[in-house]
Every structure is written in C-alpha cells, then in structure tokens.
Amino acid sequence: MVTLAAPAVLTALALSGQLTFAGQAGTAAPLEWSSGGPLTVDALPEVVYTAHRGGALEVPENSMSGLMAAFERGTAQVLDVDTRMLRDGTLVAFHDEHLDRTTNMKGPVRNLTRTDWERVRLVPPPGLRSRWRAERPPTVAEVLERFGGRTVMILEAKDPDSLRPLAKLLRKRGLERSVFVNTHFPWVAKRAHRLGLNTQLWRNAKEMRTDRPARWRSFVDVLDVDYKARDEDLVRAVNSGIPRIWAHTVNTPKQRDRVLRLGCNGVITNAPGLLARTPVRGPVPVRPLSEG
C-alpha cells in the first residue's frame, strides 16, 4: 500500500464542536466495532467539517493514502469520497468520467473492469506538499472496509444507476446510518431515501437562484449548497426545514465565516487542515437540527 514518505503528524486540533474519535489516531486496520456498534450521523457535532475528496488541496483526491492522512489528522468529522461504476458493476472511488486528469491512463472510467482497474495509478498533483507516490485508486468496498463505522462518510453517486449497488454495500456492512449518499439530482435523492439511506443533495449557485429547497425536506438529510450563492439563496436554504445545510467547496477562512454566519451548520472543504488551524471570526448562530 502507498504511504507518505514522511509519517503523518497526528494532532488534536481545537475545532469548535469537533468530535474525538476513540482509537482514531494511528490505526489503519479494518474496524472491529465496539459493543456500541459503528459511529453514525447522530454523533456529529452542531457544526460539521467535511474533508472533500479527502481534502484535495492537502492530499491526492480520492486516494487511500490521502483518506488515511485526513482521518488520522482529525481535522474533519466527515470524509467525502466520489464514486463511479465500472463496466462490470464494480464501484470505485473516483470523481471524473474520464481517467485523463488524475491518472496515468486515458479514456472513460465506465469502459474498465475490476481487472483493468488494478492497472490504474493516481498521479499526485505536483503542487501538493509532502512526498506522495502514485497508487491504485481504491474500490468503494475497500474504502468502506477501512473507514466504515470509524467515521461518518459521504459517498457521492456520480452514476445514478450505481445507487442500488451502493445501497447493497452499505447494508451488507450495517452502515446505512453512517454514510450520506450524495447526488446532484433531486430524483436520485428521493430514490436513495426510499432505499433507506441518508441522503445529501448538492446544488450550484445558479440553480439555487430558483430552487425551493423546502420541497425536498421530506427526503433530504443534508442540503449541500454552493458557498458562491447569494446571501438570500443561502438563507432560503437555511430556512427550508432541511436539518443540515453544508456549504461547498469552502477553502478559505473568510468563505467559511460567511456561510456559518448566514446559518449553515457545516462546510465541505479541500483544506480541512487550514480551516482547523484558523479560528472562526465573529459569532456563529447554532441551529438545532430540529429547527428549520
């Protein structure tokens, strides 16, 4: 397995409302659940930090080594991973439709099989700090074996037809309450809800101008809003009755402070380490999950 050339520094950073995961630091073996069972979304604090693709400004996105580093550093309570489905139905941790941007290969991800996937190598971006090595992108099953139940996760179903296989993986491991299944499409979120999954719906700033998110409150658990949206659109989302309003992709303290001030109760960031090191400036309203 590929690791960092230098050991990750395990720190306990002071983050408002941050969870402390017992036994988290320095452990990499598959989880052996305690008698209490897996960690679930009910354990999340009032204000939540999510490492987007593991924290893509700090680690190679959707890589096992990057996810491990984000988990061990403890700068976010949620790990976000994109998912794609291969030709043979295998679910893999990957963002793009094509391999070209982040790997040593080219072409559509959907054309590959599980055997083909063994030959794919993620190529770390040259701008990342520390020395990262090329590695095979993991399958979703491997990600769940490593982190499932040890931390709350977001799995974004980039391919809508992957929803049932994804639900099957989560049910097999008893992780239905430990994972948010993310999508851009309200109809996919409704289908995920009907499958008994925690649902997350993301919307961009243009869409948010005309969205009426209160219509989705019966089947959306997290509304994932664009931090670039207008103040009035963010406030409408906050007042929609959906319990969790998390803003993406928030990479600076200034961006974070604004969305928290407007009532969002979570941020999704490529820079969890930076945000964890930088205190929030100004008062942050805390909205109980039961309130709209």
Side-chain angles (χ1 to χ4, degrees):
M1 190 193 76
V2 177
T3 59
L4 281 169
V9 178
L10 308 182
T11 58
L13 296 172
L15 179 63
S16 177
Q18 181 172 337
L19 286 175
T20 300
F21 299 115
Q24 172 175 312
T27 59
L31 173 69
E32 294 180 4
W33 289 343
S34 67
S35 58
L39 188 73
T40 73
V41 301
D42 301 318
L44 290 174
E46 292 173 328
V47 177
V48 175
Y49 286 61
T50 295
H52 183 241
R53 306 181 198 173
L57 288 176
E58 300 173 350
V59 304
E61 66 177 67
N62 292 311
S63 66
M64 187 66 84
S65 60
L67 292 169
M68 286 177 61
F71 176 74
E72 291 179 338
R73 289 167 181 168
T75 53
Q77 297 88 40
V78 179
L79 293 181
D80 166 75
V81 180
D82 298 293
T83 75
R84 290 280 178 187
M85 189 161 69
L86 304 184
R87 189 176 73 210
D88 60 5
T90 301
L91 298 180
V92 295
F94 204 76
H95 179 272
D96 298 357
E97 288 187 55
H98 290 78
L99 298 161
D100 307 39
R101 180 176 65 90
T102 59
T103 81
N104 63 333
M105 298 176 68
K106 297 183 182 297
V109 173
R110 193 61 174 252
N111 286 353
L112 303 183
T113 65
R114 178 69 174 86
T115 300
D116 298 329
W117 195 248
E118 295 290 333
R119 299 195 297 271
V120 177
R121 293 294 179 271
L122 291 171
V123 179
L128 285 180
R129 294 181 179 180
S130 300
R131 297 177 182 178
W132 300 91
R133 301 176 183 177
E135 63 182 287
R136 176 178 61 80
T139 65
V140 174
E142 289 170 334
V143 170
L144 292 176
E145 287 300 322
R146 180 60 55 85
F147 302 106
R150 303 168 72 190
T151 185
V152 174
M153 300 188 69
I154 295 170
L155 297 180
E156 182 172 348
K158 288 291 187 181
D159 302 310
D161 59 344
S162 70
L163 194 56
R164 286 192 178 276
L166 188 56
K168 184 177 179 180
L169 283 178
L170 296 178
R171 289 196 194 101
K172 180 180 178 181
R173 293 163 175 80
L175 296 175
E176 300 98 314
R177 292 291 302 161
S178 302
V179 174
F180 293 105
V181 175
N182 194 9
T183 177
H184 188 199
F185 306 105
W187 66 270
V188 177
K190 182 178 286 189
R191 183 176 293 179
H193 174 76
R194 289 173 177 168
L195 289 171
L197 304 176
N198 292 308
T199 61
Q200 179 170 338
L201 177 66
W202 71 267
R203 308 294 287 171
N204 63 40
K206 182 179 180 180
E207 293 165 331
M208 289 177 63
R209 287 176 172 263
T210 56
D211 281 345
R212 292 297 177 265
R215 298 178 300 176
W216 305 323
R217 62 187 176 188
S218 64
F219 60 88
V220 170
D221 299 293
V222 177
L223 184 58
D224 180 351
V225 295
D226 190 341
Y227 84 92
K228 292 176 287 188
R230 303 176 303 178
D231 284 10
E232 57 263 42
D233 298 332
L234 288 170
V235 170
R236 185 167 60 251
V238 166
N239 293 329
S240 66
I242 296 172
R244 294 178 171 93
I245 309 297
W246 298 352
H248 77 265
T249 305
V250 174
N251 293 329
T252 70
K254 183 177 180 180
Q255 294 165 357
R256 174 201 59 192
D257 295 353
R258 170 181 171 255
V259 297
L260 294 182
R261 187 169 59 249
L262 290 172
C264 294
N265 51 13
V267 294
I268 299 169
T269 177
N270 288 320
L274 170 64
L275 296 191
R277 293 192 301 271
T278 311
V280 175
R281 297 184 64 180
V284 175
V286 176
R287 181 171 54 91
L289 293 181
S290 59
E291 288 189 9

PDB file of all heavy atoms in Angstrom, residues 270-290:
ATOM      1  N   ASN A 270     -11.690  21.523   0.731  1.00  0.00           N
ATOM      2  CA  ASN A 270     -10.467  20.886   0.249  1.00  0.00           C
ATOM      3  C   ASN A 270      -9.288  21.164   1.163  1.00  0.00           C
ATOM      4  O   ASN A 270      -8.204  20.632   0.946  1.00  0.00           O
ATOM      5  CB  ASN A 270     -10.132  21.402  -1.157  1.00  0.00           C
ATOM      6  CG  ASN A 270     -11.076  20.880  -2.219  1.00  0.00           C
ATOM      7  OD1 ASN A 270     -11.465  19.725  -2.206  1.00  0.00           O
ATOM      8  ND2 ASN A 270     -11.457  21.756  -3.145  1.00  0.00           N
ATOM      9  N   ALA A 271      -9.490  22.025   2.156  1.00  0.00           N
ATOM     10  CA  ALA A 271      -8.390  22.436   3.042  1.00  0.00           C
ATOM     11  C   ALA A 271      -8.796  22.301   4.505  1.00  0.00           C
ATOM     12  O   ALA A 271      -8.810  23.286   5.250  1.00  0.00           O
ATOM     13  CB  ALA A 271      -7.993  23.869   2.718  1.00  0.00           C
ATOM     14  N   PRO A 272      -9.126  21.094   4.955  1.00  0.00           N
ATOM     15  CA  PRO A 272      -9.565  20.941   6.350  1.00  0.00           C
ATOM     16  C   PRO A 272      -8.502  21.332   7.362  1.00  0.00           C
ATOM     17  O   PRO A 272      -8.808  21.846   8.440  1.00  0.00           O
ATOM     18  CB  PRO A 272      -9.926  19.462   6.454  1.00  0.00           C
ATOM     19  CG  PRO A 272      -9.178  18.786   5.340  1.00  0.00           C
ATOM     20  CD  PRO A 272      -9.122  19.797   4.242  1.00  0.00           C
ATOM     21  N   GLY A 273      -7.235  21.111   7.035  1.00  0.00           N
ATOM     22  CA  GLY A 273      -6.173  21.477   7.958  1.00  0.00           C
ATOM     23  C   GLY A 273      -6.106  22.973   8.167  1.00  0.00           C
ATOM     24  O   GLY A 273      -5.973  23.451   9.298  1.00  0.00           O
ATOM     25  N   LEU A 274      -6.185  23.734   7.081  1.00  0.00           N
ATOM     26  CA  LEU A 274      -6.156  25.191   7.180  1.00  0.00           C
ATOM     27  C   LEU A 274      -7.325  25.709   8.009  1.00  0.00           C
ATOM     28  O   LEU A 274      -7.150  26.548   8.905  1.00  0.00           O
ATOM     29  CB  LEU A 274      -6.204  25.808   5.777  1.00  0.00           C
ATOM     30  CG  LEU A 274      -6.412  27.321   5.720  1.00  0.00           C
ATOM     31  CD1 LEU A 274      -5.232  28.053   6.353  1.00  0.00           C
ATOM     32  CD2 LEU A 274      -6.628  27.775   4.279  1.00  0.00           C
ATOM     33  N   LEU A 275      -8.523  25.232   7.735  1.00  0.00           N
ATOM     34  CA  LEU A 275      -9.687  25.718   8.463  1.00  0.00           C
ATOM     35  C   LEU A 275      -9.627  25.321   9.933  1.00  0.00           C
ATOM     36  O   LEU A 275     -10.046  26.076  10.809  1.00  0.00           O
ATOM     37  CB  LEU A 275     -10.971  25.197   7.825  1.00  0.00           C
ATOM     38  CG  LEU A 275     -11.259  25.658   6.394  1.00  0.00           C
ATOM     39  CD1 LEU A 275     -12.682  25.294   6.000  1.00  0.00           C
ATOM     40  CD2 LEU A 275     -11.022  27.146   6.215  1.00  0.00           C
ATOM     41  N   ALA A 276      -9.097  24.131  10.212  1.00  0.00           N
ATOM     42  CA  ALA A 276      -8.994  23.697  11.605  1.00  0.00           C
ATOM     43  C   ALA A 276      -8.008  24.552  12.382  1.00  0.00           C
ATOM     44  O   ALA A 276      -8.174  24.760  13.585  1.00  0.00           O
ATOM     45  CB  ALA A 276      -8.577  22.227  11.664  1.00  0.00           C
ATOM     46  N   ARG A 277      -6.987  25.057  11.713  1.00  0.00           N
ATOM     47  CA  ARG A 277      -5.978  25.882  12.385  1.00  0.00           C
ATOM     48  C   ARG A 277      -6.426  27.326  12.577  1.00  0.00           C
ATOM     49  O   ARG A 277      -5.803  28.056  13.337  1.00  0.00           O
ATOM     50  CB  ARG A 277      -4.676  25.894  11.571  1.00  0.00           C
ATOM     51  CG  ARG A 277      -3.945  24.580  11.504  1.00  0.00           C
ATOM     52  CD  ARG A 277      -2.551  24.772  10.934  1.00  0.00           C
ATOM     53  NE  ARG A 277      -2.559  25.348   9.598  1.00  0.00           N
ATOM     54  CZ  ARG A 277      -2.612  24.641   8.475  1.00  0.00           C
ATOM     55  NH1 ARG A 277      -2.682  23.323   8.527  1.00  0.00           N
ATOM     56  NH2 ARG A 277      -2.590  25.245   7.292  1.00  0.00           N
ATOM     57  N   THR A 278      -7.471  27.739  11.865  1.00  0.00           N
ATOM     58  CA  THR A 278      -7.870  29.144  11.844  1.00  0.00           C
ATOM     59  C   THR A 278      -9.190  29.324  12.568  1.00  0.00           C
ATOM     60  O   THR A 278     -10.229  28.851  12.101  1.00  0.00           O
ATOM     61  CB  THR A 278      -8.006  29.642  10.394  1.00  0.00           C
ATOM     62  OG1 THR A 278      -6.847  29.283   9.651  1.00  0.00           O
ATOM     63  CG2 THR A 278      -8.198  31.146  10.370  1.00  0.00           C
ATOM     64  N   PRO A 279      -9.206  29.993  13.715  1.00  0.00           N
ATOM     65  CA  PRO A 279     -10.457  30.173  14.452  1.00  0.00           C
ATOM     66  C   PRO A 279     -11.487  30.955  13.647  1.00  0.00           C
ATOM     67  O   PRO A 279     -11.145  31.813  12.829  1.00  0.00           O
ATOM     68  CB  PRO A 279     -10.017  30.960  15.700  1.00  0.00           C
ATOM     69  CG  PRO A 279      -8.555  30.738  15.809  1.00  0.00           C
ATOM     70  CD  PRO A 279      -8.051  30.582  14.412  1.00  0.00           C
ATOM     71  N   VAL A 280     -12.747  30.661  13.900  1.00  0.00           N
ATOM     72  CA  VAL A 280     -13.842  31.400  13.276  1.00  0.00           C
ATOM     73  C   VAL A 280     -13.876  32.805  13.865  1.00  0.00           C
ATOM     74  O   VAL A 280     -13.765  32.993  15.082  1.00  0.00           O
ATOM     75  CB  VAL A 280     -15.190  30.686  13.530  1.00  0.00           C
ATOM     76  CG1 VAL A 280     -16.350  31.522  12.996  1.00  0.00           C
ATOM     77  CG2 VAL A 280     -15.180  29.310  12.883  1.00  0.00           C
ATOM     78  N   ARG A 281     -14.026  33.809  13.000  1.00  0.00           N
ATOM     79  CA  ARG A 281     -14.114  35.194  13.454  1.00  0.00           C
ATOM     80  C   ARG A 281     -15.578  35.625  13.513  1.00  0.00           C
ATOM     81  O   ARG A 281     -16.316  35.468  12.549  1.00  0.00           O
ATOM     82  CB  ARG A 281     -13.348  36.112  12.500  1.00  0.00           C
ATOM     83  CG  ARG A 281     -11.863  35.830  12.445  1.00  0.00           C
ATOM     84  CD  ARG A 281     -11.145  36.824  11.581  1.00  0.00           C
ATOM     85  NE  ARG A 281     -11.223  38.181  12.131  1.00  0.00           N
ATOM     86  CZ  ARG A 281     -10.663  39.251  11.561  1.00  0.00           C
ATOM     87  NH1 ARG A 281      -9.997  39.119  10.423  1.00  0.00           N
ATOM     88  NH2 ARG A 281     -10.787  40.438  12.123  1.00  0.00           N
ATOM     89  N   GLY A 282     -15.975  36.133  14.645  1.00  0.00           N
ATOM     90  CA  GLY A 282     -17.337  36.609  14.801  1.00  0.00           C
ATOM     91  C   GLY A 282     -18.249  35.532  15.333  1.00  0.00           C
ATOM     92  O   GLY A 282     -17.918  34.339  15.348  1.00  0.00           O
ATOM     93  N   PRO A 283     -19.459  35.921  15.768  1.00  0.00           N
ATOM     94  CA  PRO A 283     -20.412  34.944  16.325  1.00  0.00           C
ATOM     95  C   PRO A 283     -20.982  34.037  15.244  1.00  0.00           C
ATOM     96  O   PRO A 283     -21.177  34.445  14.101  1.00  0.00           O
ATOM     97  CB  PRO A 283     -21.506  35.851  16.917  1.00  0.00           C
ATOM     98  CG  PRO A 283     -21.439  37.106  16.113  1.00  0.00           C
ATOM     99  CD  PRO A 283     -19.980  37.290  15.783  1.00  0.00           C
ATOM    100  N   VAL A 284     -21.206  32.788  15.624  1.00  0.00           N
ATOM    101  CA  VAL A 284     -21.794  31.808  14.711  1.00  0.00           C
ATOM    102  C   VAL A 284     -23.112  31.338  15.315  1.00  0.00           C
ATOM    103  O   VAL A 284     -23.117  30.752  16.398  1.00  0.00           O
ATOM    104  CB  VAL A 284     -20.847  30.604  14.492  1.00  0.00           C
ATOM    105  CG1 VAL A 284     -21.530  29.546  13.653  1.00  0.00           C
ATOM    106  CG2 VAL A 284     -19.552  31.065  13.847  1.00  0.00           C
ATOM    107  N   PRO A 285     -24.234  31.579  14.637  1.00  0.00           N
ATOM    108  CA  PRO A 285     -25.508  31.071  15.180  1.00  0.00           C
ATOM    109  C   PRO A 285     -25.540  29.562  15.121  1.00  0.00           C
ATOM    110  O   PRO A 285     -25.129  28.947  14.142  1.00  0.00           O
ATOM    111  CB  PRO A 285     -26.547  31.693  14.238  1.00  0.00           C
ATOM    112  CG  PRO A 285     -25.819  31.955  12.961  1.00  0.00           C
ATOM    113  CD  PRO A 285     -24.408  32.277  13.364  1.00  0.00           C
ATOM    114  N   VAL A 286     -25.976  28.945  16.201  1.00  0.00           N
ATOM    115  CA  VAL A 286     -26.082  27.487  16.254  1.00  0.00           C
ATOM    116  C   VAL A 286     -27.555  27.120  16.128  1.00  0.00           C
ATOM    117  O   VAL A 286     -28.373  27.542  16.944  1.00  0.00           O
ATOM    118  CB  VAL A 286     -25.488  26.926  17.560  1.00  0.00           C
ATOM    119  CG1 VAL A 286     -25.711  25.419  17.628  1.00  0.00           C
ATOM    120  CG2 VAL A 286     -24.007  27.253  17.634  1.00  0.00           C
ATOM    121  N   ARG A 287     -27.887  26.361  15.090  1.00  0.00           N
ATOM    122  CA  ARG A 287     -29.266  25.997  14.818  1.00  0.00           C
ATOM    123  C   ARG A 287     -29.476  24.535  15.132  1.00  0.00           C
ATOM    124  O   ARG A 287     -28.907  23.669  14.465  1.00  0.00           O
ATOM    125  CB  ARG A 287     -29.592  26.279  13.349  1.00  0.00           C
ATOM    126  CG  ARG A 287     -31.012  25.959  12.924  1.00  0.00           C
ATOM    127  CD  ARG A 287     -31.251  26.502  11.517  1.00  0.00           C
ATOM    128  NE  ARG A 287     -30.252  26.025  10.570  1.00  0.00           N
ATOM    129  CZ  ARG A 287     -30.404  24.911   9.852  1.00  0.00           C
ATOM    130  NH1 ARG A 287     -31.472  24.172   9.986  1.00  0.00           N
ATOM    131  NH2 ARG A 287     -29.466  24.542   8.996  1.00  0.00           N
ATOM    132  N   PRO A 288     -30.276  24.194  16.131  1.00  0.00           N
ATOM    133  CA  PRO A 288     -30.549  22.780  16.408  1.00  0.00           C
ATOM    134  C   PRO A 288     -31.104  22.079  15.169  1.00  0.00           C
ATOM    135  O   PRO A 288     -31.811  22.695  14.355  1.00  0.00           O
ATOM    136  CB  PRO A 288     -31.591  22.837  17.527  1.00  0.00           C
ATOM    137  CG  PRO A 288     -31.384  24.169  18.177  1.00  0.00           C
ATOM    138  CD  PRO A 288     -30.975  25.089  17.068  1.00  0.00           C
ATOM    139  N   LEU A 289     -30.800  20.782  15.032  1.00  0.00           N
ATOM    140  CA  LEU A 289     -31.209  20.053  13.837  1.00  0.00           C
ATOM    141  C   LEU A 289     -32.713  19.985  13.680  1.00  0.00           C
ATOM    142  O   LEU A 289     -33.216  19.788  12.580  1.00  0.00           O
ATOM    143  CB  LEU A 289     -30.629  18.627  13.875  1.00  0.00           C
ATOM    144  CG  LEU A 289     -29.106  18.532  13.760  1.00  0.00           C
ATOM    145  CD1 LEU A 289     -28.669  17.091  13.790  1.00  0.00           C
ATOM    146  CD2 LEU A 289     -28.608  19.211  12.505  1.00  0.00           C
ATOM    147  N   SER A 290     -33.448  20.119  14.748  1.00  0.00           N
ATOM    148  CA  SER A 290     -34.905  20.031  14.668  1.00  0.00           C
ATOM    149  C   SER A 290     -35.538  21.287  14.085  1.00  0.00           C
ATOM    150  O   SER A 290     -36.700  21.293  13.726  1.00  0.00           O
ATOM    151  CB  SER A 290     -35.505  19.780  16.056  1.00  0.00           C
ATOM    152  OG  SER A 290     -35.146  20.811  16.944  1.00  0.00           O
TER     153      SER A 290
END
